[in-house]
Amino acid sequence: MNPSEEFLEQGISQQNLRKASCMTVATLAYQSLGVVYGDLSTSPLYVYKTTFSGKLSLHENDEEIYGVFSFIFWTFTLIALFKYTLIVMSADDNGEGGTFALYSLLCRHARLSILPNQQATDEKLSAYATHGSVETWQSSALKSFFEKHPRFRTGLFILVLLGTCMAIGDGVLTPTISVLSAVSGVRLKITALHENYVVLISCVIIVGLFSLQHHGTNRVAFMFAPIVAAWLLCISSIGIYNIFRWNPHIFHALSPVYMLKFLKRTGIEGWISLGGVVLSITGVETMFADLGHFSSLSIRVAFSFLVYPCLVLAYMGEAAFLSKHHEDIQRSFYKAIPEAVFWPVFIVATFAAVVGSQAVISATFSIISQCCALNCFPFVKIIHTSSKIYGQIYIPEVNWILMCLCLAVTIGLRDTNMMGHAYGLAVTTVMFVTTCLMALVMIIVWKQRIAIAVAFLVIFGSMELLYISASVYKIPEGGWIPLALSFIFMAIMYIWNYGTTKKHEFDVENKVSMNRIVCLGPSLGMVRVPGIGLIYTNLVSGVPAVFGHFVTNLPAFHQVLVFVCVKSVQVPYISEKDRLMIGRVGPKEYCMFRCIVRYGYKDLQQENYDFENRLVSGIVQFVEAEEDTTLKTTFISSCGREVGNMDIEKFDAQNQDHSFTNSKSSDILETKIRKGHGGGAPLKDESLQILRAKESGVAFILGHSYAKAKKSSSIVKKFAINVVYSFLSKNCREPDVVLNVPHTSLLEVGMIYHV
């Protein structure tokens, strides 16, 4: 039965159902204004000012102004409306958007994953589904190409990192240029105000903005949408006023002919000025990146029916004003505001700049969190700022680093034109990376013909390369900032990913044979002590070297031993019922198990997650469901569902989801588990043994590894591993903190591995 039929049975008419659906879309579209469009809507503050900086300011006649507006209109229409709204937003990963979402789609369909420990059982997750259109020879050939050429897989990974790092650079540049552009308007009314005071006021606002981040956006989110809506209505109304007041014929500039005239007349200077035109589409990537917080339909509705027409009218009105006021080219936005409404618009502009900055800062937190999950960034402290809205997070270290960088750029440059040059290069690079990934998605995921993907790449890629070339010319005048930031972040991400990958390879190559440990038992005097031992490892199979190192130095381990592997899967989210996979290691008499804890790249480990009791409950359920035959590799998921070939009894998922506190006795836990059978059948002896072991205590054993480059390694590799990776490892969050391991029950085993 579909949802519509269910509503009809409940007495809800089809017409009312459509009304409810329309209301939901309208509500989401309204809410998206404050989160998604804050950055994009504040672009009119600095687009014309940056475009007409430099030598182009000498050509301030109507034809140049018409040409610039024509470029703005068609860039905004083709890239923002057609590319992102109509095409790119269709390439979501289970409702999630952004650079990592596109890369995740490619990884699953073409097996390009950079994550270790990927298993065939992961593909059975509902979010992992790769079925769809019939495989084409083009998609097969492209997959085969990537499989045969690892260097191109690495190149694609670096391309993704480049786009990600440039997006992080937006988190530095957006607050600086938005806030400084908004505040600088006050000098029109207070002419005696020195530039230093404008910079000081901007810095105070930036410090205040970052200081409030720990409260979370949910506490002020209700203000965001009204502010952006008021801002859009203000600038569109002023645009209409300026059109009728100064130049009603400005609509002629919508003709693309004026773009050709502009380039022909201005030559190289006109081409260089395109680095300012591209600022009109800053924030379009946010539409796609924030797709997970809203529906694609709601974002499309908000953009198509409000944001797009309002911004077009704003740019058109400012062009109409400039056509009659050439001398005001560097302060055109605030000069175009009628005197009677200047101060209200100035206040709204300042608030809108803060809202736009907030959206980019929150997006940066989300990007860093995803990078941590994909082993591309050192572990940092991630705090949930909302108990109701999933995904709203705060990262203290990143927040203060961004604030310091914003202040350094604001104080160091003090010029929105130079900031615009830096901003333009970051924006165009991210868009070009998205275009390249989309072309691959069209072939590999959507199974489209290569001709369609090439056409998409040529049309939009050529436009973006044109803007990138104009921005590159401005590298000495501020464009070096995003390059320097992206290089630093890329170096950190790549070195961290390389180090963790080599660590995993070391663990795989140095796995210990359980039979060897058992055989050494009598000679070492090995004994089993009461309790449960949880050994954290990177391996999904085999016994880690850290365990062998542990028992040879301390020949005793717990009565019940569980190898725990916490891993990420190339999907955005994994449901709680699929979170745990539990299996047996070795014969039954060893009483050794393996638990694989799976997270998506947008999942966050809950601080109140009662992992210890959930794990014990899951192991008991596994033992009760297990057949009498000896099992070594069969797994069941946390809800009791089989993930293998064994036909076992299904359990009630609610039993596993029930939380058991440490203070509850094993008798209560036993009762809860027994209810899952629907009767009073007694538990197996092994299950009772596990429950008694839990009462004796649970110990957490973690490996503390130190990486060192081999003596034969190059100087670059030695510096990367012995200096950079070592520094990051010592200063990032320790694994026991990330995994919420109690210090009173923690045992660390030190090891050194050479890469």
Side-chain angles (χ1 to χ4, degrees):
M1 181 182 296
N2 60 45
S4 301
E5 292 174 345
E6 292 179 4
F7 280 118
L8 288 172
E9 285 192 359
Q10 296 172 9
I12 301 177
S13 67
Q14 189 72 24
Q15 184 177 2
N16 289 337
L17 179 62
R18 280 196 220 97
K19 288 182 180 179
S21 178
C22 292
M23 284 297 297
T24 302
V25 172
T27 302
L28 288 175
Y30 173 73
Q31 293 175 346
S32 70
L33 293 176
V35 177
V36 177
Y37 297 110
D39 184 15
L40 185 64
S41 64
T42 54
S43 297
L45 285 169
Y46 44 78
V47 170
Y48 281 105
K49 181 179 183 295
T50 306
T51 303
F52 282 98
S53 63
K55 296 181 180 179
L56 188 63
S57 59
L58 301 176
H59 304 281
E60 296 168 7
N61 58 27
D62 288 354
E63 197 163 286
E64 275 77 24
I65 293 171
Y66 276 40
V68 168
F69 170 68
S70 185
F71 261 108
I72 292 173
F73 172 77
W74 286 107
T75 301
F76 198 58
T77 301
L78 292 176
I79 293 182
L81 183 61
F82 285 96
K83 176 191 167 183
Y84 277 91
T85 307
L86 299 181
I87 301 176
V88 174
M89 289 184 63
S90 301
D92 65 290
D93 180 19
N94 293 283
E96 295 297 326
T99 305
F100 274 117
L102 293 177
Y103 186 59
S104 175
L105 284 174
L106 293 172
C107 286
R108 295 207 304 273
H109 286 79
R111 302 189 184 278
L112 303 175
S113 180
I114 59 171
L115 293 174
N117 292 329
Q118 300 306 293
Q119 300 171 281
T121 51
D122 297 335
E123 299 180 11
K124 296 184 179 181
L125 294 167
S126 58
Y128 203 99
T130 58
H131 59 273
S133 305
V134 180
E135 194 78 25
T136 63
W137 70 266
Q138 293 102 324
S139 60
S140 299
L142 196 55
K143 290 179 183 179
S144 177
F145 175 80
F146 279 112
E147 289 176 1
K148 293 179 180 178
H149 299 85
R151 291 185 178 181
F152 284 93
R153 293 202 300 269
T154 304
L156 181 63
F157 174 59
I158 293 175
L159 182 68
V160 172
L161 288 186
L162 175 62
T164 303
C165 294
M166 285 293 185
I168 294 174
D170 285 351
V172 176
L173 297 172
T174 297
T176 56
I177 191 171
S178 299
V179 173
L180 187 59
S181 297
V183 173
S184 61
V186 76
R187 296 186 68 189
L188 291 178
K189 297 300 179 182
I190 309 177
T191 55
L193 188 66
H194 195 272
E195 179 189 8
N196 291 340
Y197 291 103
V198 174
V199 173
L200 178 61
I201 295 171
S202 301
C203 290
V204 170
I205 294 176
I206 290 173
V207 171
L209 174 64
F210 282 97
S211 299
L212 295 175
Q213 291 300 311
H214 68 279
H215 292 296
T217 57
N218 59 304
R219 298 196 178 183
V220 289
F222 69 95
M223 295 176 55
F224 286 3
I227 289 173
V228 176
W231 168 251
L232 289 171
L233 293 176
C234 280
I235 61 177
S236 60
S237 301
I238 293 171
I240 294 172
Y241 168 82
N242 286 325
I243 291 171
F244 286 99
R245 171 83 184 271
W246 303 111
N247 191 350
H249 302 290
I250 190 66
F251 68 89
H252 291 155
L254 297 176
S255 172
V257 174
Y258 283 95
M259 291 191 294
L260 299 177
K261 291 182 177 179
F262 172 77
L263 291 177
K264 184 178 179 180
R265 181 180 178 87
T266 58
I268 295 178
E269 296 303 328
W271 162 67
I272 295 173
S273 69
L274 295 181
V277 171
V278 78
L279 297 180
S280 62
I281 51 175
T282 57
V284 292
E285 188 72 25
T286 309
M287 288 194 299
F288 184 45
D290 289 334
L291 190 59
H293 298 285
F294 306 94
S295 66
S296 59
L297 180 59
S298 63
I299 293 179
R300 285 167 170 161
V301 167
F303 181 80
S304 303
F305 294 99
L306 181 63
V307 178
Y308 177 78
C310 285
L311 288 177
V312 169
L313 288 172
Y315 287 121
M316 186 181 293
E318 192 171 346
F321 174 84
L322 282 174
S323 65
K324 305 300 181 184
H325 302 81
H326 296 171
E327 70 282 358
D328 293 325
I329 199 73
Q330 285 299 306
R331 45 187 178 173
S332 59
F333 179 82
Y334 282 109
K335 276 286 188 178
I337 299 174
E339 188 73 21
V341 296
F342 177 86
W343 286 111
V345 173
F346 172 78
I347 294 173
V348 175
T350 304
F351 278 112
V354 172
V355 171
S357 303
Q358 174 64 59
V360 176
I361 294 169
S362 300
T364 303
F365 292 157
S366 179
I367 290 172
I368 295 294
S369 174
Q370 294 174 35
C371 290
C372 292
L374 294 174
N375 292 335
C376 293
F377 201 83
F379 295 116
V380 290
K381 184 178 183 180
I382 300 176
I383 300 173
H384 299 262
T385 59
S386 174
S387 58
K388 298 179 180 179
I389 304 175
Y390 188 85
Q392 289 195 356
I393 59 175
Y394 167 66
I395 305 177
E397 297 93 336
V398 175
N399 182 69
W400 302 122
I401 290 174
L402 286 179
M403 187 193 76
C404 293
L405 291 174
C406 285
L407 292 176
V409 172
T410 304
I411 298 171
L413 295 184
R414 310 166 68 92
D415 181 9
T416 55
N417 289 332
M418 294 186 69
M419 293 178 186
H421 300 153
Y423 200 12
L425 183 58
V427 169
T428 50
T429 304
V430 175
M431 290 190 298
F432 182 70
V433 170
T434 299
T435 300
C436 295
L437 294 177
M438 269 302 304
L440 294 175
V441 168
M442 287 180 173
I443 300 173
I444 296 176
V445 182
W446 292 354
K447 307 297 190 296
Q448 296 293 327
R449 290 179 296 176
I450 289 182
I452 296 177
V454 170
F456 175 85
L457 183 62
V458 170
I459 293 173
F460 295 106
S462 59
M463 294 175 58
E464 288 155 2
L465 284 176
L466 175 65
Y467 288 123
I468 289 175
S469 65
S471 300
V472 166
Y473 191 85
K474 294 288 187 178
I475 286 179
E477 302 177 21
W480 59 271
I481 295 175
L483 290 179
L485 291 175
S486 63
F487 176 79
I488 294 172
F489 280 108
M490 277 188 68
I492 292 173
M493 290 182 178
Y494 189 82
I495 292 173
W496 183 261
N497 178 261
Y498 179 81
T500 51
T501 302
K502 289 299 180 182
K503 178 182 177 181
H504 178 261
E505 291 177 358
F506 175 84
D507 290 339
V508 172
E509 293 172 358
N510 292 272
K511 287 193 290 189
V512 181
S513 169
M514 180 52 63
N515 292 330
R516 180 172 175 269
I517 292 177
V518 173
C519 292
L520 288 175
S523 62
L524 294 174
M526 196 177 299
V527 295
R528 302 290 289 268
V529 297
I532 297 178
L534 303 183
I535 300 179
Y536 284 85
T537 172
N538 295 322
L539 303 177
V540 294
S541 63
V543 179
V546 65
F547 178 69
H549 190 59
F550 172 72
V551 296
T552 52
N553 287 274
L554 184 64
F557 54 92
H558 295 82
Q559 182 182 7
V560 178
L561 208 60
V562 184
F563 296 99
V564 181
C565 174
V566 181
K567 73 169 191 175
S568 295
V569 182
Q570 205 80 49
V571 294
Y573 301 105
I574 294 179
S575 61
E576 284 299 319
K577 67 178 182 179
D578 294 323
R579 181 80 65 207
L580 303 182
M581 288 177 59
I582 299 172
R584 189 182 292 279
V585 178
K588 282 187 177 182
E589 55 268 22
Y590 288 4
C591 204
M592 298 169 67
F593 303 91
R594 185 183 308 282
C595 175
I596 299 175
V597 189
R598 301 183 292 185
Y599 288 95
Y601 61 81
K602 295 204 75 172
D603 273 327
L604 296 172
Q605 297 184 33
Q606 301 293 327
E607 294 179 1
N608 57 353
Y609 187 76
D610 193 11
F611 174 72
E612 182 180 319
N613 287 310
R614 284 172 176 260
L615 175 61
V616 173
S617 175
I619 292 175
V620 172
Q621 290 190 31
F622 172 81
V623 171
E624 292 298 308
E626 191 178 26
E627 294 179 348
D628 292 335
T629 56
T630 300
L631 299 173
K632 295 184 72 174
T633 58
T634 303
F635 287 92
I636 63 170
S637 66
S638 60
C639 63
R641 187 178 58 201
E642 180 193 5
V643 191
N645 297 321
M646 182 177 65
D647 183 17
I648 61 174
E649 177 186 357
K650 290 188 177 181
F651 285 82
D652 186 0
Q654 293 180 353
N655 295 332
Q656 178 60 24
D657 291 337
H658 189 91
S659 296
F660 302 95
T661 61
N662 292 331
S663 61
K664 292 187 178 181
S665 67
S666 60
D667 292 332
I668 297 177
L669 183 60
E670 176 184 337
T671 303
K672 294 289 183 181
I673 297 174
R674 185 180 295 152
K675 287 181 180 179
H677 294 280
L683 293 173
K684 295 180 180 179
D685 291 340
E686 187 179 12
S687 299
L688 296 174
Q689 179 185 354
I690 294 170
L691 295 176
R692 285 193 294 267
K694 181 181 180 297
E695 286 186 335
S696 299
V698 179
F700 299 82
I701 304 171
L702 274 73
H704 200 88
S705 302
Y706 299 90
K708 282 192 175 182
K710 297 177 181 178
K711 293 182 178 180
S712 58
S713 302
S714 64
I715 297 177
V716 175
K717 185 175 180 179
K718 288 181 179 178
F719 176 79
I721 297 298
N722 297 343
V723 179
V724 180
Y725 184 76
S726 177
F727 174 81
L728 295 175
S729 299
K730 292 177 181 178
N731 290 277
C732 71
R733 291 199 106 196
E734 295 292 340
D736 57 305
V737 180
V738 176
L739 299 169
N740 300 310
V741 174
H743 289 280
T744 54
S745 305
L746 175 64
L747 288 173
E748 286 191 300
V749 183
M751 289 190 69
I752 296 177
Y753 64 96
H754 296 273
V755 298

